[in-house]
Amino acid sequence: MTTGKINVSVENIFPLIKKFLYSDHEIFLRELISNGTDATLKLKHLISIGEAKVEYGNPTIEVKIDKEGKKLHIIDQGLGMTSDEVEKYINQLAFSGAEEFLEKYKDSAKDSGIIGHFGLGFYSAFMVASKVEIITKSFKDEPAAHWICDGSPEFSLEPADKTTRGTEVILHIAEDSLEFLEEFKIKELLNKYNKFMPIPIKFGTKTETLPKPEDAPEDYKAETMEVDNIINNPNPAWTKQPTDLSDEDYKKFYHEVYPMQFEEPLFHIHLNVDYPFNLTGILYFPKLGSDMQIQKDKIQLYQNQVYVTDNVEGIVPEFLTMLKGVIDSPDIPLNVSRSSLQADGAVKKISNYITRKVADKLKSLFTENREDFEKKWNDIKIVLEYGMLSDDKFYEKAGAFVLYPSVSDKFYTLEEIKENLKDKQTDKDGKLVVLYAGNKDAQHSYIEIAQEKGYEVLLLDSPIISHLIQKIEGDNKDITFVRVDSDHIDNLIKKEENTISKLSEDEQTNLKTVLEAIVPKQNYSVQLEAMDSQAAPFIITQPEFMRRMKEMSQSGGGGGMFGMGNMPEMYNLVVNTNSNLATNILNTEDKTHQEHLVKQALDLAKLSQNLLKGEALTAFVKRSFEMIK
């Protein structure tokens, strides 16, 4: 038996590991299973190149709980270690340069490949164990070795009687970590971190019912047998070629990753690149609708099939974090505990690649089956509109497939809008005016007036649409978007011809004075317009600029700098000077009756805009009943 000190002069190396490198104690299991996986895959490689003359077989990694003995066993059938290798890898290499390493990294732990370089993954075991044993037998024809360490730099190393190839790590679980002896806890960790590890992981057994023989009698009793409970899928869909997978396979995998998701994804994007970095994965577009809901099931990041995190900020462009799926890359630089991403040029390249790949896929879906793409539009638009705002590279490509629906369920690209609307909706200054509604029902009367003139009205109802149209207008100088209720239709698309007012200028001045004395100034600005005599006498509109700035400040950015977020709602009251009502109001000498007419007309205009509420609505209903007694 050999005893010795681990090659390190910092006596309190283990508390430092505990404190600085691993904030999350549960990852010890991930690290130990990863080590077992590496040992198994290395053996496979050595056999394939003829350096190991042994049978590979069907190796598994087994996790066993010994609750009474307060022990947790992790057993692999990998290449194992000789005594010399234990001495080298566990005692010396793991802590070569440990002092400098800790000095350098204890505050920030900012390094990408430390686990592999320092063997520190193994030492994460001391976060939960008061003593750790390794019993290991190499694939080489040498005696097995038994290493014991109690978390101090002292260790013992002696021969062992293990006869099968591989390594068994035994953790004597510390009193403050007894939760790791509970079956449900280990199951939870295996499911979280090791669900897709490339080597089968056994955790206990399960009972399986054998198939019924063809010639079984009627009173046949089904037979059962105990089989290994393999908790992982070593060959997940993202490790396969897209050509080997059907749509059904992709859906099945989606539900494997998100067992609590009952809705089917709309479509998927299979990522597969090996230059200038390695990256595989599958992203899914779930149904999102118009509300930017809080994402519960996030994209999961793996490193060689080992789960790392669902915080993919920086790797996946921000606008795509609303998607679901899996990304696996050995090239993503992580700190020692794999808990946070390092700023790195490769990460930016990965993010750009994902943006490009998603844009290409969307374009091909649009081109191959536009009708199907249009059906899915409302479920995906929020992601794409957000992408256009937040990612310039995506914005450049988005023109080819981003759609703008109309109130009559037609869909246009921006180029198609320019082409189809230019003849009718270009104003006298040569600007194309794109009319849109935010709510089909609430703005119904305005939509109808616009359609009577042969104009197309788009339906743009997402919460960030004001930001997006601002950006589009900035890039297209001869186009302007205006909401259909932001002014009288003839003012929205100004043509050369002007309707003549039947009221003289003096009469108009008098009418305006009368109206302004009755209409509340804090919410309404009175505007006289000569319109068709059949048009509504009173119309309420909301100025585009004011409303847009207010919306932008409420959904973040934009109008906030103008201090518009908390401003009261301001409207224009557009009065048709060619209507009979305008003449009536002007010519009524009974001031009470005049006020009554104005209030009733204003309330009717408010009612059509869903602006009449509470006490004012009650009074209006009462007054209306009085009129029809």
Side-chain angles (χ1 to χ4, degrees), residues 5 179 213 257 301 371-372 378 386 428 554:
K5 272 201 173 189
E179 63 182 304
V257 181
L301 175 66
E371 194 182 335
D372 185 57
N378 281 327
Y386 185 38
K428 63 184 177 63
Q554 284 165 347

PDB file of all heavy atoms in Angstrom, residues 5 179 213 257 301 371-372 378 386 428 554:
ATOM      1  N   LYS A   5       0.927  12.381  -0.401  1.00  0.00           N
ATOM      2  CA  LYS A   5       0.185  13.633  -0.437  1.00  0.00           C
ATOM      3  C   LYS A   5      -0.060  14.003  -1.888  1.00  0.00           C
ATOM      4  O   LYS A   5       0.812  13.826  -2.728  1.00  0.00           O
ATOM      5  CB  LYS A   5       0.989  14.752   0.248  1.00  0.00           C
ATOM      6  CG  LYS A   5       0.753  14.852   1.732  1.00  0.00           C
ATOM      7  CD  LYS A   5       1.150  16.236   2.230  1.00  0.00           C
ATOM      8  CE  LYS A   5       0.743  16.395   3.688  1.00  0.00           C
ATOM      9  NZ  LYS A   5       0.895  17.763   4.155  1.00  0.00           N
ATOM     10  N   GLU A 179     -29.374  14.203   0.832  1.00  0.00           N
ATOM     11  CA  GLU A 179     -30.428  14.186  -0.208  1.00  0.00           C
ATOM     12  C   GLU A 179     -29.989  13.376  -1.427  1.00  0.00           C
ATOM     13  O   GLU A 179     -30.820  12.836  -2.173  1.00  0.00           O
ATOM     14  CB  GLU A 179     -30.779  15.618  -0.635  1.00  0.00           C
ATOM     15  CG  GLU A 179     -29.605  16.336  -1.270  1.00  0.00           C
ATOM     16  CD  GLU A 179     -29.904  17.784  -1.674  1.00  0.00           C
ATOM     17  OE1 GLU A 179     -30.862  18.009  -2.434  1.00  0.00           O
ATOM     18  OE2 GLU A 179     -29.157  18.664  -1.223  1.00  0.00           O
ATOM     19  N   PRO A 213     -47.199 -15.134 -26.562  1.00  0.00           N
ATOM     20  CA  PRO A 213     -46.909 -16.057 -27.674  1.00  0.00           C
ATOM     21  C   PRO A 213     -48.141 -16.229 -28.572  1.00  0.00           C
ATOM     22  O   PRO A 213     -49.279 -16.116 -28.112  1.00  0.00           O
ATOM     23  CB  PRO A 213     -46.566 -17.388 -26.963  1.00  0.00           C
ATOM     24  CG  PRO A 213     -46.407 -17.053 -25.524  1.00  0.00           C
ATOM     25  CD  PRO A 213     -47.137 -15.789 -25.258  1.00  0.00           C
ATOM     26  N   VAL A 257     -37.872  15.846 -25.282  1.00  0.00           N
ATOM     27  CA  VAL A 257     -37.176  16.948 -24.598  1.00  0.00           C
ATOM     28  C   VAL A 257     -38.140  17.708 -23.698  1.00  0.00           C
ATOM     29  O   VAL A 257     -37.788  18.139 -22.609  1.00  0.00           O
ATOM     30  CB  VAL A 257     -36.540  17.927 -25.626  1.00  0.00           C
ATOM     31  CG1 VAL A 257     -35.786  19.053 -24.917  1.00  0.00           C
ATOM     32  CG2 VAL A 257     -35.578  17.189 -26.544  1.00  0.00           C
ATOM     33  N   LEU A 301     -28.753  23.694 -23.904  1.00  0.00           N
ATOM     34  CA  LEU A 301     -27.396  23.639 -24.453  1.00  0.00           C
ATOM     35  C   LEU A 301     -26.687  22.391 -23.937  1.00  0.00           C
ATOM     36  O   LEU A 301     -26.690  22.113 -22.735  1.00  0.00           O
ATOM     37  CB  LEU A 301     -26.613  24.890 -24.034  1.00  0.00           C
ATOM     38  CG  LEU A 301     -25.131  24.915 -24.435  1.00  0.00           C
ATOM     39  CD1 LEU A 301     -24.985  24.967 -25.960  1.00  0.00           C
ATOM     40  CD2 LEU A 301     -24.427  26.108 -23.811  1.00  0.00           C
ATOM     41  N   GLU A 371     -48.848  28.886 -48.977  1.00  0.00           N
ATOM     42  CA  GLU A 371     -50.164  28.791 -48.350  1.00  0.00           C
ATOM     43  C   GLU A 371     -50.042  28.286 -46.901  1.00  0.00           C
ATOM     44  O   GLU A 371     -50.651  28.825 -45.973  1.00  0.00           O
ATOM     45  CB  GLU A 371     -51.041  27.835 -49.164  1.00  0.00           C
ATOM     46  CG  GLU A 371     -52.509  27.908 -48.809  1.00  0.00           C
ATOM     47  CD  GLU A 371     -53.341  26.902 -49.609  1.00  0.00           C
ATOM     48  OE1 GLU A 371     -52.903  26.507 -50.717  1.00  0.00           O
ATOM     49  OE2 GLU A 371     -54.389  26.517 -49.095  1.00  0.00           O
ATOM     50  N   ASP A 372     -49.230  27.266 -46.709  1.00  0.00           N
ATOM     51  CA  ASP A 372     -49.031  26.700 -45.371  1.00  0.00           C
ATOM     52  C   ASP A 372     -48.313  27.711 -44.466  1.00  0.00           C
ATOM     53  O   ASP A 372     -48.634  27.861 -43.289  1.00  0.00           O
ATOM     54  CB  ASP A 372     -48.200  25.411 -45.479  1.00  0.00           C
ATOM     55  CG  ASP A 372     -48.078  24.712 -44.140  1.00  0.00           C
ATOM     56  OD1 ASP A 372     -49.115  24.395 -43.539  1.00  0.00           O
ATOM     57  OD2 ASP A 372     -46.935  24.519 -43.676  1.00  0.00           O
ATOM     58  N   ASN A 378     -49.485  33.863 -37.997  1.00  0.00           N
ATOM     59  CA  ASN A 378     -49.837  34.499 -36.723  1.00  0.00           C
ATOM     60  C   ASN A 378     -49.190  33.833 -35.526  1.00  0.00           C
ATOM     61  O   ASN A 378     -49.041  34.442 -34.472  1.00  0.00           O
ATOM     62  CB  ASN A 378     -51.358  34.537 -36.541  1.00  0.00           C
ATOM     63  CG  ASN A 378     -51.952  35.678 -37.344  1.00  0.00           C
ATOM     64  OD1 ASN A 378     -51.318  36.721 -37.511  1.00  0.00           O
ATOM     65  ND2 ASN A 378     -53.134  35.485 -37.883  1.00  0.00           N
ATOM     66  N   TYR A 386     -39.684  40.615 -33.957  1.00  0.00           N
ATOM     67  CA  TYR A 386     -38.673  40.958 -32.945  1.00  0.00           C
ATOM     68  C   TYR A 386     -37.273  40.789 -33.534  1.00  0.00           C
ATOM     69  O   TYR A 386     -36.382  41.603 -33.308  1.00  0.00           O
ATOM     70  CB  TYR A 386     -38.878  40.074 -31.712  1.00  0.00           C
ATOM     71  CG  TYR A 386     -37.978  40.403 -30.547  1.00  0.00           C
ATOM     72  CD1 TYR A 386     -37.659  41.719 -30.231  1.00  0.00           C
ATOM     73  CD2 TYR A 386     -37.434  39.388 -29.752  1.00  0.00           C
ATOM     74  CE1 TYR A 386     -36.840  42.022 -29.167  1.00  0.00           C
ATOM     75  CE2 TYR A 386     -36.604  39.686 -28.687  1.00  0.00           C
ATOM     76  CZ  TYR A 386     -36.316  41.005 -28.398  1.00  0.00           C
ATOM     77  OH  TYR A 386     -35.482  41.300 -27.334  1.00  0.00           O
ATOM     78  N   LYS A 428     -50.588  62.814 -53.123  1.00  0.00           N
ATOM     79  CA  LYS A 428     -50.226  63.849 -54.106  1.00  0.00           C
ATOM     80  C   LYS A 428     -48.729  64.178 -54.079  1.00  0.00           C
ATOM     81  O   LYS A 428     -48.195  64.724 -55.032  1.00  0.00           O
ATOM     82  CB  LYS A 428     -51.060  65.114 -53.902  1.00  0.00           C
ATOM     83  CG  LYS A 428     -50.853  65.815 -52.571  1.00  0.00           C
ATOM     84  CD  LYS A 428     -51.813  66.992 -52.441  1.00  0.00           C
ATOM     85  CE  LYS A 428     -51.713  67.698 -51.108  1.00  0.00           C
ATOM     86  NZ  LYS A 428     -50.439  68.313 -50.816  1.00  0.00           N
ATOM     87  N   GLN A 554     -44.506  52.319 -24.211  1.00  0.00           N
ATOM     88  CA  GLN A 554     -45.102  51.281 -23.356  1.00  0.00           C
ATOM     89  C   GLN A 554     -44.500  49.912 -23.611  1.00  0.00           C
ATOM     90  O   GLN A 554     -44.421  49.088 -22.724  1.00  0.00           O
ATOM     91  CB  GLN A 554     -46.626  51.241 -23.565  1.00  0.00           C
ATOM     92  CG  GLN A 554     -47.327  52.398 -22.875  1.00  0.00           C
ATOM     93  CD  GLN A 554     -48.755  52.597 -23.338  1.00  0.00           C
ATOM     94  OE1 GLN A 554     -49.173  52.029 -24.347  1.00  0.00           O
ATOM     95  NE2 GLN A 554     -49.502  53.403 -22.621  1.00  0.00           N
TER      96      GLN A 554
END
